[in-house]
Amino acid sequence: MTLGGRVLFRDRFAGTEAGVSGALSRAQADLGASPLGVERRDNLVIVLGEVLNNSVEHGMADRTDGWIEMIIRMNPADRAEVAIADDGRPLPLHLLQGAQAPDVTVDADAMPEGGFGWFIIHTLVDDMTYERADGRNHLTFSI
Amino acid sequence: MRVDHEIEGDVIVLTVNAPRIDAAGAVGFKDAVRAATADHPGRVVLDVTQVEFLDSSGLGALVGVMKLIPGRKLELAGAGPIMRKVLALTKMDKVFVLHVDRHAALEPRDAA
């Protein structure tokens, strides 16, 4: 990833559910005024929600003093390039390799209430890089 | 989260007055719907016209709501593009009943 190009959104926020919810609302508003196409913008907002909530729920499950930093740029091919850093626990590497869709062809009382997140991410994201450095997670991807 | 409800014949229509059903609001959403649907035996329609964002935690809450109304399908009216996309990706659009809007949900035999 080049991480060049015009900055569409940049934010640093608390690694809590409320912190993520606020950042996503701001991102959704700012990206609405960007030249990204509507479908790409919607996909981006969906993926950001999954990635950021995973960081909070799993990487920072036992604390509220974590932080997350996010930059979204538009590259010359009009794709959104995203870089996210957080100081949570390391991301389990198997999550980066792909994810199965939960089976929803089951009876209502057995319907899964979770496990959709990484499937959604991998369906919408083409490339993803991950690095653990300086006690932080560094995730990049483009949409 | 504030969820208003109205009874229309045997249908209860719950209006979600929030722009997001997400990780931060999922539990409050489920509690609000549970309280409103507790004594209702008929169809349950969620008017989600105001909801601009649904994540997988919100989707899990919708599944949880469906389990609160055994024997019935959860019906969603007015789902926006992001909600429709999340439902389609996860194939949950085949599990819930989707209506274009609240009016369509109250038409006989509608299943938009």
Side-chain angles (χ1 to χ4, degrees):
Chain A
M1 177 172 298
T2 58
L3 283 185
R6 171 181 168 185
V7 174
L8 300 179
F9 184 76
R10 177 175 211 144
D11 204 353
R12 186 179 195 276
F13 45 94
T16 61
E17 286 182 349
V20 166
S21 191
L24 286 171
S25 293
R26 292 190 292 276
Q28 205 166 354
D30 284 9
L31 294 169
S34 78
L36 284 179
V38 173
E39 187 176 0
R40 181 162 286 154
R41 190 185 69 211
D42 286 350
N43 290 350
L44 176 58
V45 170
I46 290 168
V47 167
L48 292 178
E50 300 306 329
V51 169
L52 297 175
N53 279 313
N54 271 307
S55 294
V56 169
E57 285 166 31
H58 302 293
M60 306 177 183
D62 45 5
R63 51 190 282 233
T64 55
D65 64 341
W67 58 266
I68 301 174
E69 194 168 355
M70 175 166 78
I71 303 174
I72 305 171
R73 297 171 201 262
M74 193 167 76
N75 74 13
D78 290 345
R79 293 174 63 81
E81 296 192 347
V82 182
I84 298 171
D86 71 63
D87 64 348
R89 283 197 292 269
L91 188 68
L93 293 180
H94 69 89
L95 292 175
L96 298 165
Q97 291 161 5
Q100 293 272 319
D103 183 4
V104 299
T105 61
V106 296
D107 290 343
D109 57 2
M111 196 64 70
E113 294 181 45
F116 296 107
W118 277 95
F119 169 73
I120 291 172
I121 293 167
H122 284 295
T123 305
L124 296 177
V125 167
D126 291 330
D127 54 3
M128 185 171 270
T129 73
Y130 172 74
E131 186 183 14
R132 179 77 181 180
D134 304 325
R136 301 176 191 171
N137 297 308
H138 299 270
L139 195 67
T140 68
F141 54 86
S142 67
I143 286 183
Chain B
M1 186 180 296
R2 211 178 92 232
V3 176
D4 294 330
H5 66 277
E6 282 173 66
I7 309 282
E8 304 255 0
D10 70 336
V11 185
I12 188 168
V13 181
L14 304 166
T15 303
V16 182
N17 291 296
R20 321 174 62 78
I21 306 176
D22 62 7
V27 173
F29 165 75
K30 205 170 141 182
D31 288 348
V33 173
R34 178 189 287 116
T37 56
D39 298 318
H40 181 76
R43 288 171 55 203
V44 176
V45 174
L46 272 185
D47 184 339
V48 292
T49 307
Q50 294 176 52
V51 179
E52 295 162 8
F53 182 76
L54 175 82
D55 66 10
S56 63
S57 298
L59 176 62
L62 291 178
V63 173
V65 163
M66 187 180 69
K67 293 177 182 176
L68 297 173
I69 53 167
R72 289 160 283 170
K73 290 204 166 192
L74 181 62
E75 303 183 42
L76 303 174
I82 288 182
M83 185 180 285
R84 281 185 178 266
K85 182 120 199 184
V86 169
L87 295 176
L89 285 173
T90 56
K91 299 193 163 50
M92 290 301 291
D93 56 343
K94 305 285 187 274
V95 175
F96 303 134
V97 178
L98 300 187
H99 303 282
V100 172
D101 55 24
R102 170 200 191 98
H103 178 74
L106 295 170
E107 291 280 310
R109 295 171 185 274
D110 173 83

Short mmCIF file of all heavy atoms in Angstrom, two decimals, chain A residues 64-109:
data_model
loop_
_atom_site.label_atom_id
_atom_site.label_comp_id
_atom_site.label_asym_id
_atom_site.label_seq_id
_atom_site.Cartn_x
_atom_site.Cartn_y
_atom_site.Cartn_z
N THR A 64 -10.36 0.14 29.34
CA THR A 64 -11.03 1.26 28.67
C THR A 64 -10.06 2.39 28.35
O THR A 64 -10.46 3.46 27.94
CB THR A 64 -12.16 1.84 29.56
OG1 THR A 64 -11.59 2.19 30.83
CG2 THR A 64 -13.27 0.82 29.77
N ASP A 65 -8.76 2.13 28.54
CA ASP A 65 -7.78 3.20 28.30
C ASP A 65 -7.05 3.01 26.98
O ASP A 65 -6.04 3.67 26.73
CB ASP A 65 -6.76 3.26 29.46
CG ASP A 65 -5.94 1.97 29.54
OD1 ASP A 65 -6.39 0.94 28.98
OD2 ASP A 65 -4.85 2.00 30.14
N GLY A 66 -7.57 2.11 26.12
CA GLY A 66 -6.94 1.91 24.82
C GLY A 66 -7.25 3.05 23.87
O GLY A 66 -8.12 3.89 24.13
N TRP A 67 -6.55 3.10 22.78
CA TRP A 67 -6.82 4.13 21.77
C TRP A 67 -6.68 3.52 20.38
O TRP A 67 -6.02 2.50 20.19
CB TRP A 67 -5.88 5.32 21.92
CG TRP A 67 -4.44 4.95 21.83
CD1 TRP A 67 -3.61 4.65 22.85
CD2 TRP A 67 -3.67 4.78 20.62
NE1 TRP A 67 -2.38 4.31 22.37
CE2 TRP A 67 -2.38 4.39 21.01
CE3 TRP A 67 -3.96 4.94 19.27
CZ2 TRP A 67 -1.38 4.13 20.08
CZ3 TRP A 67 -2.96 4.69 18.33
CH2 TRP A 67 -1.68 4.29 18.75
N ILE A 68 -7.29 4.17 19.44
CA ILE A 68 -7.26 3.73 18.04
C ILE A 68 -7.01 4.96 17.18
O ILE A 68 -7.56 6.04 17.45
CB ILE A 68 -8.60 3.07 17.63
CG1 ILE A 68 -8.90 1.87 18.52
CG2 ILE A 68 -8.57 2.67 16.15
CD1 ILE A 68 -10.27 1.24 18.28
N GLU A 69 -6.17 4.78 16.17
CA GLU A 69 -5.90 5.88 15.24
C GLU A 69 -6.20 5.38 13.84
O GLU A 69 -5.86 4.24 13.50
CB GLU A 69 -4.42 6.28 15.36
CG GLU A 69 -4.10 7.58 14.72
CD GLU A 69 -2.69 8.07 15.11
OE1 GLU A 69 -2.05 7.40 15.96
OE2 GLU A 69 -2.26 9.07 14.56
N MET A 70 -6.83 6.22 13.06
CA MET A 70 -7.27 5.77 11.73
C MET A 70 -7.07 6.87 10.70
O MET A 70 -7.38 8.04 10.97
CB MET A 70 -8.74 5.38 11.81
CG MET A 70 -9.35 5.00 10.48
SD MET A 70 -10.95 4.19 10.72
CE MET A 70 -12.01 5.58 11.04
N ILE A 71 -6.53 6.48 9.56
CA ILE A 71 -6.39 7.42 8.44
C ILE A 71 -6.99 6.76 7.20
O ILE A 71 -6.72 5.59 6.92
CB ILE A 71 -4.90 7.75 8.14
CG1 ILE A 71 -4.22 8.33 9.38
CG2 ILE A 71 -4.80 8.73 6.98
CD1 ILE A 71 -2.72 8.54 9.18
N ILE A 72 -7.80 7.51 6.49
CA ILE A 72 -8.36 7.01 5.23
C ILE A 72 -7.93 7.97 4.12
O ILE A 72 -8.14 9.19 4.23
CB ILE A 72 -9.91 6.96 5.28
CG1 ILE A 72 -10.38 6.12 6.47
CG2 ILE A 72 -10.46 6.40 3.96
CD1 ILE A 72 -11.88 6.21 6.71
N ARG A 73 -7.32 7.42 3.10
CA ARG A 73 -6.90 8.24 1.95
C ARG A 73 -7.53 7.70 0.68
O ARG A 73 -7.88 6.53 0.61
CB ARG A 73 -5.38 8.21 1.78
CG ARG A 73 -4.60 8.78 2.92
CD ARG A 73 -3.12 8.47 2.72
NE ARG A 73 -2.38 8.53 3.97
CZ ARG A 73 -1.67 9.60 4.35
NH1 ARG A 73 -1.60 10.66 3.60
NH2 ARG A 73 -1.03 9.58 5.50
N MET A 74 -7.60 8.55 -0.31
CA MET A 74 -8.07 8.11 -1.62
C MET A 74 -6.88 8.05 -2.56
O MET A 74 -6.16 9.05 -2.70
CB MET A 74 -9.14 9.04 -2.17
CG MET A 74 -9.85 8.44 -3.37
SD MET A 74 -11.35 9.35 -3.79
CE MET A 74 -10.62 10.76 -4.57
N ASN A 75 -6.66 6.89 -3.17
CA ASN A 75 -5.50 6.76 -4.04
C ASN A 75 -5.87 7.20 -5.46
O ASN A 75 -7.03 7.49 -5.75
CB ASN A 75 -4.92 5.35 -3.96
CG ASN A 75 -5.77 4.31 -4.68
OD1 ASN A 75 -6.66 4.65 -5.45
ND2 ASN A 75 -5.49 3.05 -4.42
N PRO A 76 -4.86 7.26 -6.36
CA PRO A 76 -5.15 7.77 -7.71
C PRO A 76 -6.17 6.94 -8.48
O PRO A 76 -6.77 7.42 -9.44
CB PRO A 76 -3.77 7.74 -8.39
CG PRO A 76 -2.80 7.83 -7.26
CD PRO A 76 -3.43 7.07 -6.13
N ALA A 77 -6.38 5.69 -8.06
CA ALA A 77 -7.38 4.85 -8.73
C ALA A 77 -8.76 5.00 -8.07
O ALA A 77 -9.66 4.20 -8.30
CB ALA A 77 -6.95 3.39 -8.69
N ASP A 78 -8.91 6.04 -7.25
CA ASP A 78 -10.18 6.33 -6.56
C ASP A 78 -10.59 5.25 -5.58
O ASP A 78 -11.77 5.10 -5.27
CB ASP A 78 -11.32 6.57 -7.57
CG ASP A 78 -11.14 7.88 -8.30
OD1 ASP A 78 -10.32 8.70 -7.84
OD2 ASP A 78 -11.81 8.09 -9.32
N ARG A 79 -9.63 4.47 -5.12
CA ARG A 79 -9.92 3.51 -4.07
C ARG A 79 -9.58 4.13 -2.71
O ARG A 79 -8.75 5.02 -2.63
CB ARG A 79 -9.09 2.24 -4.26
CG ARG A 79 -9.46 1.46 -5.50
CD ARG A 79 -8.52 0.29 -5.73
NE ARG A 79 -8.58 -0.68 -4.64
CZ ARG A 79 -9.52 -1.61 -4.54
NH1 ARG A 79 -10.48 -1.69 -5.43
NH2 ARG A 79 -9.50 -2.47 -3.55
N ALA A 80 -10.25 3.64 -1.70
CA ALA A 80 -9.96 4.11 -0.35
C ALA A 80 -8.89 3.23 0.26
O ALA A 80 -9.00 2.00 0.24
CB ALA A 80 -11.22 4.07 0.50
N GLU A 81 -7.84 3.84 0.78
CA GLU A 81 -6.78 3.11 1.48
C GLU A 81 -6.86 3.48 2.95
O GLU A 81 -6.88 4.65 3.31
CB GLU A 81 -5.41 3.47 0.92
CG GLU A 81 -5.26 3.06 -0.53
CD GLU A 81 -3.82 3.15 -1.02
OE1 GLU A 81 -2.98 3.74 -0.32
OE2 GLU A 81 -3.56 2.60 -2.10
N VAL A 82 -6.93 2.44 3.78
CA VAL A 82 -7.17 2.64 5.21
C VAL A 82 -5.97 2.14 6.01
O VAL A 82 -5.45 1.06 5.71
CB VAL A 82 -8.44 1.87 5.66
CG1 VAL A 82 -8.72 2.12 7.14
CG2 VAL A 82 -9.64 2.26 4.80
N ALA A 83 -5.56 2.90 6.98
CA ALA A 83 -4.53 2.45 7.93
C ALA A 83 -5.08 2.65 9.34
O ALA A 83 -5.55 3.74 9.67
CB ALA A 83 -3.23 3.23 7.73
N ILE A 84 -5.06 1.59 10.12
CA ILE A 84 -5.58 1.64 11.49
C ILE A 84 -4.50 1.13 12.44
O ILE A 84 -3.90 0.08 12.19
CB ILE A 84 -6.85 0.77 11.63
CG1 ILE A 84 -7.97 1.31 10.73
CG2 ILE A 84 -7.33 0.74 13.09
CD1 ILE A 84 -9.18 0.40 10.63
N ALA A 85 -4.26 1.87 13.50
CA ALA A 85 -3.32 1.42 14.53
C ALA A 85 -4.04 1.41 15.87
O ALA A 85 -4.86 2.29 16.14
CB ALA A 85 -2.11 2.35 14.58
N ASP A 86 -3.76 0.40 16.68
CA ASP A 86 -4.31 0.41 18.04
C ASP A 86 -3.31 -0.24 18.99
O ASP A 86 -2.40 -0.94 18.56
CB ASP A 86 -5.68 -0.29 18.10
CG ASP A 86 -5.58 -1.79 17.91
OD1 ASP A 86 -4.95 -2.46 18.76
OD2 ASP A 86 -6.13 -2.32 16.93
N ASP A 87 -3.50 -0.01 20.29
CA ASP A 87 -2.56 -0.56 21.27
C ASP A 87 -3.19 -1.72 22.04
O ASP A 87 -2.88 -1.94 23.20
CB ASP A 87 -2.04 0.54 22.20
CG ASP A 87 -3.13 1.15 23.06
OD1 ASP A 87 -4.33 0.90 22.78
OD2 ASP A 87 -2.80 1.89 24.01
N GLY A 88 -4.08 -2.44 21.37
CA GLY A 88 -4.69 -3.62 21.99
C GLY A 88 -3.81 -4.85 21.86
O GLY A 88 -2.67 -4.78 21.39
N ARG A 89 -4.37 -5.99 22.30
CA ARG A 89 -3.63 -7.25 22.19
C ARG A 89 -3.40 -7.60 20.73
O ARG A 89 -4.16 -7.18 19.85
CB ARG A 89 -4.44 -8.37 22.86
CG ARG A 89 -4.36 -8.33 24.38
CD ARG A 89 -4.82 -9.66 24.97
NE ARG A 89 -6.23 -9.90 24.77
CZ ARG A 89 -7.19 -9.54 25.63
NH1 ARG A 89 -6.87 -8.93 26.74
NH2 ARG A 89 -8.45 -9.78 25.38
N PRO A 90 -2.39 -8.42 20.45
CA PRO A 90 -2.13 -8.80 19.05
C PRO A 90 -3.35 -9.48 18.41
O PRO A 90 -4.09 -10.19 19.07
CB PRO A 90 -0.96 -9.78 19.17
CG PRO A 90 -0.31 -9.47 20.47
CD PRO A 90 -1.41 -9.00 21.37
N LEU A 91 -3.51 -9.24 17.13
CA LEU A 91 -4.60 -9.85 16.37
C LEU A 91 -4.24 -11.31 16.08
O LEU A 91 -3.14 -11.58 15.60
CB LEU A 91 -4.75 -9.09 15.05
CG LEU A 91 -5.92 -9.39 14.15
CD1 LEU A 91 -7.22 -8.92 14.82
CD2 LEU A 91 -5.75 -8.65 12.83
N PRO A 92 -5.12 -12.26 16.39
CA PRO A 92 -4.82 -13.66 16.03
C PRO A 92 -4.65 -13.79 14.51
O PRO A 92 -5.53 -13.37 13.75
CB PRO A 92 -6.07 -14.41 16.51
CG PRO A 92 -6.71 -13.52 17.53
CD PRO A 92 -6.40 -12.11 17.08
N LEU A 93 -3.53 -14.35 14.08
CA LEU A 93 -3.18 -14.31 12.66
C LEU A 93 -4.15 -15.09 11.78
O LEU A 93 -4.35 -14.76 10.62
CB LEU A 93 -1.75 -14.82 12.46
CG LEU A 93 -0.68 -13.90 13.08
CD1 LEU A 93 0.70 -14.48 12.85
CD2 LEU A 93 -0.77 -12.50 12.50
N HIS A 94 -4.79 -16.13 12.35
CA HIS A 94 -5.69 -16.92 11.50
C HIS A 94 -6.86 -16.08 10.99
O HIS A 94 -7.45 -16.39 9.96
CB HIS A 94 -6.20 -18.16 12.27
CG HIS A 94 -7.13 -17.83 13.39
ND1 HIS A 94 -8.50 -17.74 13.21
CD2 HIS A 94 -6.91 -17.55 14.69
CE1 HIS A 94 -9.07 -17.41 14.37
NE2 HIS A 94 -8.12 -17.31 15.28
N LEU A 95 -7.19 -15.00 11.70
CA LEU A 95 -8.31 -14.16 11.27
C LEU A 95 -8.02 -13.45 9.95
O LEU A 95 -8.92 -13.05 9.23
CB LEU A 95 -8.62 -13.10 12.34
CG LEU A 95 -9.20 -13.64 13.64
CD1 LEU A 95 -9.33 -12.51 14.66
CD2 LEU A 95 -10.55 -14.29 13.40
N LEU A 96 -6.71 -13.31 9.65
CA LEU A 96 -6.34 -12.59 8.42
C LEU A 96 -6.45 -13.45 7.18
O LEU A 96 -6.40 -12.96 6.07
CB LEU A 96 -4.90 -12.08 8.55
CG LEU A 96 -4.68 -11.09 9.69
CD1 LEU A 96 -3.21 -10.93 9.97
CD2 LEU A 96 -5.33 -9.76 9.35
N GLN A 97 -6.59 -14.76 7.39
CA GLN A 97 -6.51 -15.67 6.24
C GLN A 97 -7.84 -15.93 5.57
O GLN A 97 -7.91 -16.57 4.53
CB GLN A 97 -5.90 -17.00 6.71
CG GLN A 97 -4.42 -16.85 7.05
CD GLN A 97 -3.91 -17.97 7.93
OE1 GLN A 97 -4.63 -18.92 8.23
NE2 GLN A 97 -2.66 -17.85 8.36
N GLY A 98 -8.92 -15.49 6.17
CA GLY A 98 -10.22 -15.72 5.57
C GLY A 98 -11.17 -16.21 6.63
O GLY A 98 -10.76 -16.56 7.74
N ALA A 99 -12.47 -16.22 6.33
CA ALA A 99 -13.46 -16.63 7.31
C ALA A 99 -14.66 -17.24 6.60
O ALA A 99 -15.05 -16.79 5.54
CB ALA A 99 -13.89 -15.44 8.16
N GLN A 100 -15.21 -18.28 7.21
CA GLN A 100 -16.41 -18.91 6.68
C GLN A 100 -17.64 -18.11 7.09
O GLN A 100 -17.68 -17.57 8.19
CB GLN A 100 -16.54 -20.32 7.27
CG GLN A 100 -15.46 -21.28 6.83
CD GLN A 100 -15.83 -21.99 5.56
OE1 GLN A 100 -16.98 -22.39 5.40
NE2 GLN A 100 -14.91 -22.11 4.64
N ALA A 101 -18.63 -18.11 6.23
CA ALA A 101 -19.91 -17.51 6.61
C ALA A 101 -20.62 -18.42 7.60
O ALA A 101 -20.67 -19.64 7.40
CB ALA A 101 -20.77 -17.32 5.38
N PRO A 102 -21.16 -17.87 8.67
CA PRO A 102 -21.98 -18.70 9.57
C PRO A 102 -23.17 -19.27 8.79
O PRO A 102 -23.71 -18.62 7.89
CB PRO A 102 -22.46 -17.70 10.62
CG PRO A 102 -21.50 -16.56 10.57
CD PRO A 102 -21.06 -16.48 9.14
N ASP A 103 -23.56 -20.50 9.13
CA ASP A 103 -24.69 -21.15 8.46
C ASP A 103 -25.99 -20.58 9.01
O ASP A 103 -26.29 -20.70 10.20
CB ASP A 103 -24.62 -22.66 8.73
CG ASP A 103 -25.73 -23.41 8.00
OD1 ASP A 103 -26.48 -22.78 7.23
OD2 ASP A 103 -25.83 -24.64 8.20
N VAL A 104 -26.76 -19.94 8.11
CA VAL A 104 -28.03 -19.36 8.54
C VAL A 104 -29.22 -20.15 8.01
O VAL A 104 -30.36 -19.70 8.08
CB VAL A 104 -28.15 -17.87 8.15
CG1 VAL A 104 -27.04 -17.07 8.80
CG2 VAL A 104 -28.14 -17.69 6.64
N THR A 105 -28.93 -21.35 7.47
CA THR A 105 -30.03 -22.20 6.98
C THR A 105 -30.41 -23.19 8.07
O THR A 105 -30.57 -24.38 7.83
CB THR A 105 -29.61 -22.96 5.70
OG1 THR A 105 -28.49 -23.79 6.02
CG2 THR A 105 -29.24 -22.00 4.59
N VAL A 106 -30.57 -22.67 9.28
CA VAL A 106 -30.88 -23.51 10.44
C VAL A 106 -32.19 -23.00 11.06
O VAL A 106 -32.69 -21.95 10.68
CB VAL A 106 -29.75 -23.46 11.48
CG1 VAL A 106 -28.47 -24.05 10.92
CG2 VAL A 106 -29.49 -22.03 11.95
N ASP A 107 -32.73 -23.76 12.00
CA ASP A 107 -33.94 -23.32 12.69
C ASP A 107 -33.68 -22.02 13.44
O ASP A 107 -32.56 -21.76 13.87
CB ASP A 107 -34.41 -24.39 13.68
CG ASP A 107 -34.96 -25.62 12.97
OD1 ASP A 107 -35.27 -25.51 11.76
OD2 ASP A 107 -35.05 -26.68 13.61
N ALA A 108 -34.75 -21.27 13.62
CA ALA A 108 -34.62 -19.94 14.24
C ALA A 108 -33.93 -20.01 15.59
O ALA A 108 -33.08 -19.16 15.90
CB ALA A 108 -36.00 -19.30 14.38
N ASP A 109 -34.25 -21.03 16.40
CA ASP A 109 -33.67 -21.04 17.73
C ASP A 109 -32.19 -21.39 17.73
O ASP A 109 -31.51 -21.24 18.74
CB ASP A 109 -34.46 -21.96 18.68
CG ASP A 109 -34.55 -23.39 18.16
OD1 ASP A 109 -33.97 -23.65 17.09
OD2 ASP A 109 -35.18 -24.22 18.82
#
